[in-house]
Amino acid sequence: MLSTANPCGRRSLPLTFWINPFPYKTNALGFPIVSDAHPVILGPVMAKWFLRLGAVITGGLALSDLYVATHVDPNDVAFVRIVRAVATTAVISFDYMTSLKRTEYGTEEYETVKSQVHRRSAERLLNLCCANRGTFIKVGQHLGGLDYLLPEEYTSTLKILHSKAPQSNLQDIQQVVEEDLGKGIHELFVSFEETPLGAASWAQVHKAVLHDGSTVAVKVQHPKVRDQCTQDIILMEVPKIHWELSTSRVLTMEFMEGGQVNDREYMKKNGIDVNEISRNLGKLYSEMIFVNGFVHCDPHPGNVLVRKSTQTNKAEIVLLDHGLYQNLTEEFRLDYCHLWHSLIRTDMKGIEMYSKRLGAGDLYPLFACMLTARSWASITKGIDQMPVSKTEDMEIRVNAVKYLPRINELLNKVPRQMLLLLKTNDLLRGIETSLQTRASATYFINMSRCCVRALSRYERYKCKSWYGKLKISWAETLDLWQINMYEVLLWIKATLLGSWIAGILGYDHPLQ
């Protein structure tokens, strides 16, 4: 069951890091090798990576802040925010270059020092996000969700931004409420908790009680967001919103209990099946993307709660923050469906054609890798042949940093709809990694089913003959049967029997 609420939101772009699919000398997994003696490593190259990473963050986010007007508070001045970002990037780069240079690569000391530099750099990025707020916090939230790609030191440090971003004080919150609703907090509510339940990039949530006894969650936009953001906040018409107590900056809605979707301990404590949540979240987003073409594009863990229904005792997904939706055009949605259908069938001509139709141009191999989080070698062999292994996962992490210029080039070519879907894919894949369900490929499987259904429905609609519609339905049934068989195969491989068979055949065991 899906419960919704509609806090204020803001658009943001994905910062996606992937692997190289181009025809350099590669290893068995299709990843590039720098020399016969040493594969690509994170030694001195790490400094260059963070210089590039900093450039992407600084360039993209600083440009987004150029419109900020000058106010008394220096944090509202674009120049101050840009200088702060550049300085942070320089300090991080210098730390990597000097710290790693003093130790020998491959030693235990090197790994210890590298981890320490990771931690220091992550804390510097966290401080930068908290100081600059706004878009910087959005990017920090995104980075904190990339468990499958970034070092643990980064994701664990930046995860705090999912629900504990910098807060506005109660006086500022009271000012926004009075300006928008015409009355003070204590006139509108019987009680209003001073400490927010959570704070995000553009607003924070307070628990309150109405005069009729209803417990509500009141989401109030940070006072300076309106000055730093020129876009309009669009409220979705969703159930259980108290419209008489809601404006463009204040949203009063039903209070929803639950734990964050990446909190395995909460699920274990409350008897919630992690695999069921992963499956249902995949189904939910696959329906949005492939079937309906109306997509919630900000599913970081702070925006997705899980809970056990007191009435049905079934697990529920509570989707929060509806400020960032994307309406996919019919042409885009069908091209995206065709692309995934080609990826499922290992149809290389289809992959090239539909990637180019979606704006990837000659970078279509990189584009395919970004969508699937697999190497080009895995795609050409068939991504249904073997789920991502620990070895391939590590290779992705190690090699992702090498190709930021090409990734940036690709992101500048594809339409905005594609940028938001890439961001959404990143966040969902990060949730799967946190829940340790990525090896089951639940999101990929659900995407496959939905794109087959969506394409078949469209083809039946266009077809005029009864016989043609029958052929389309038969092909749809066959495709869905193949997907079901693939899911069963993955389940077998995840069991002890699968581990024993994989050991005999010499394969890596899937990720756990």
Side-chain angles (χ1 to χ4, degrees):
M1 181 181 293
L2 172 66
S3 301
T4 57
N6 177 31
C8 301
R10 150 112 198 210
R11 295 171 182 160
S12 59
L13 299 182
L15 190 58
T16 313
F17 310 104
W18 295 100
I19 54 180
N20 178 42
F22 297 95
Y24 301 121
K25 185 176 180 181
T26 60
N27 59 19
L29 286 172
F31 293 97
I33 296 177
V34 172
S35 69
D36 292 332
H38 299 286
V40 180
I41 59 175
L42 290 179
V45 176
M46 180 65 72
K48 295 181 181 179
W49 171 48
F50 273 91
L51 194 57
R52 291 171 180 169
L53 172 60
V56 172
I57 295 177
T58 304
L61 300 183
L63 286 175
S64 72
D65 276 338
L66 286 178
Y67 57 78
V68 178
T70 301
H71 290 80
V72 176
D73 189 345
N75 287 322
D76 293 341
V77 181
F79 177 75
V80 173
R81 296 155 68 87
I82 294 171
V83 170
R84 186 183 287 141
V86 171
T88 301
T89 301
V91 171
I92 289 175
S93 300
F94 182 77
D95 194 2
Y96 274 99
M97 286 189 290
T98 56
S99 298
L100 295 177
K101 187 176 180 180
R102 304 191 193 104
T103 58
E104 182 181 355
Y105 173 76
T107 63
E108 184 176 342
E109 180 186 6
Y110 180 90
E111 294 301 319
T112 300
V113 171
K114 184 175 72 174
S115 178
Q116 292 170 349
V117 180
H118 283 341
R119 184 71 64 183
R120 290 197 299 269
S121 301
E123 290 172 353
R124 289 172 181 134
L125 284 178
L126 176 63
N127 291 335
L128 172 65
C129 293
C130 291
N132 280 2
R133 301 196 177 195
T135 308
F136 284 79
I137 289 181
K138 273 295 181 191
V139 170
Q141 289 173 337
H142 186 62
L143 294 175
L146 299 181
D147 300 81
Y148 69 100
L149 196 56
L150 296 181
E152 184 275 335
E153 293 87 350
Y154 279 89
T155 56
S156 62
T157 300
L158 295 171
K159 280 183 188 297
I160 191 174
L161 296 175
H162 289 155
S163 59
K164 297 181 181 178
Q167 302 174 359
S168 296
N169 60 48
L170 186 61
Q171 182 178 355
D172 288 339
I173 295 300
Q174 287 176 327
Q175 179 183 342
V176 173
V177 171
E178 289 181 10
E179 288 177 355
D180 280 41
L181 297 178
K183 294 182 180 179
I185 286 177
H186 297 295
E187 296 179 78
L188 297 169
F189 307 99
V190 174
S191 66
F192 188 95
E193 293 188 1
E194 180 175 347
T195 303
L197 297 172
S201 53
W202 305 106
Q204 63 190 48
V205 180
H206 293 262
K207 188 176 182 179
V209 177
L210 298 178
H211 288 284
D212 64 4
S214 302
T215 301
V216 295
V218 184
K219 190 158 191 175
V220 184
Q221 193 178 88
H222 296 305
K224 295 178 182 178
V225 166
R226 180 171 284 181
D227 296 329
Q228 295 181 353
C229 176
T230 58
Q231 76 171 55
D232 294 326
I233 302 300
I234 301 176
L235 295 179
M236 305 293 299
E237 290 190 4
V238 294
K240 300 182 181 178
I241 289 180
H242 296 264
W243 293 106
E244 73 281 6
L245 297 176
S246 298
T247 69
S248 62
R249 295 193 297 170
V250 180
L251 180 67
T252 305
M253 67 204 114
E254 175 192 12
F255 183 78
M256 309 296 286
E257 298 278 2
Q260 289 193 0
V261 71
N262 61 345
D263 190 344
R264 287 177 58 90
E265 289 302 316
Y266 173 87
M267 294 187 206
K268 182 179 179 180
K269 181 179 178 181
N270 290 273
I272 297 174
D273 186 348
V274 171
N275 292 304
E276 180 185 357
I277 292 297
S278 185
R279 284 194 302 271
N280 289 340
L281 188 63
K283 289 178 182 178
L284 172 63
Y285 270 87
S286 296
E287 289 283 341
M288 286 186 193
I289 294 170
F290 294 109
V291 180
N292 300 314
F294 187 62
V295 189
H296 178 288
C297 293
D298 199 17
H300 68 71
N303 284 343
V304 186
L305 304 182
V306 295
R307 66 180 186 178
K308 245 330 179 26
S309 171
T310 55
Q311 298 178 343
T312 65
N313 203 36
K314 292 183 178 180
E316 296 178 334
I317 294 175
V318 182
L319 192 60
L320 304 175
D321 201 340
H322 296 258
L324 181 58
Y325 267 82
Q326 179 65 56
N327 270 306
L328 306 181
T329 65
E330 185 79 352
E331 180 183 7
F332 178 92
R333 182 178 66 85
L334 292 172
D335 283 342
Y336 193 61
C337 286
H338 278 296
L339 175 56
W340 267 102
H341 201 229
S342 299
L343 288 165
I344 297 167
R345 293 171 169 266
T346 320
D347 176 5
M348 306 311 296
K349 290 184 178 180
I351 292 172
E352 179 179 359
M353 179 175 70
Y354 289 107
S355 294
K356 288 182 175 180
R357 284 176 62 91
L358 290 167
D362 292 335
L363 295 176
Y364 71 89
L366 174 61
F367 185 56
C369 292
M370 291 170 66
L371 288 177
T372 60
R374 304 297 298 271
S375 69
W376 183 243
S378 296
I379 291 173
T380 56
K381 292 176 183 176
I383 52 179
D384 62 335
Q385 297 301 308
M386 179 68 70
V388 61
S389 66
K390 289 182 179 179
T391 303
E392 185 177 4
D393 184 69
M394 183 57 65
E395 291 280 358
I396 290 172
R397 291 173 182 267
V398 170
N399 290 277
V401 301
K402 292 285 291 181
Y403 310 104
L404 286 181
R406 293 198 177 199
I407 293 169
N408 187 55
E409 180 184 351
L410 177 60
L411 294 179
N412 285 326
K413 296 176 72 171
V414 298
R416 187 179 186 281
Q417 294 177 92
M418 195 69 250
L419 292 175
L420 290 173
L421 286 190
L422 288 172
K423 174 180 185 269
T424 302
N425 284 347
D426 266 354
L427 293 172
L428 291 173
R429 198 168 285 121
I431 290 172
E432 276 193 339
T433 302
S434 297
L435 297 180
Q436 300 177 19
T437 59
R438 190 176 169 211
S440 65
T442 52
Y443 185 52
F444 161 72
I445 290 169
N446 284 308
M447 289 179 78
S448 302
R449 286 196 181 104
C450 282
C451 79
V452 168
R453 286 174 41 220
L455 287 174
S456 299
R457 184 178 69 176
Y458 177 76
E459 290 170 0
R460 276 193 297 267
Y461 171 76
K462 299 292 289 184
C463 183
K464 301 301 181 182
S465 72
W466 175 85
Y467 177 70
K469 291 182 178 181
L470 182 62
K471 285 179 63 178
I472 293 169
S473 296
W474 171 249
E476 177 187 9
T477 301
L478 181 60
D479 282 343
L480 293 175
W481 180 83
Q482 290 176 330
I483 294 171
N484 290 338
M485 290 300 99
Y486 174 62
E487 187 173 26
V488 171
L489 177 63
L490 290 182
W491 177 81
I492 293 174
K493 289 177 178 177
T495 63
L496 291 176
L497 175 62
S499 180
W500 178 73
I501 295 175
I504 292 177
L505 297 178
Y507 293 126
D508 287 320
H509 189 54
L511 285 170
Q512 298 298 319

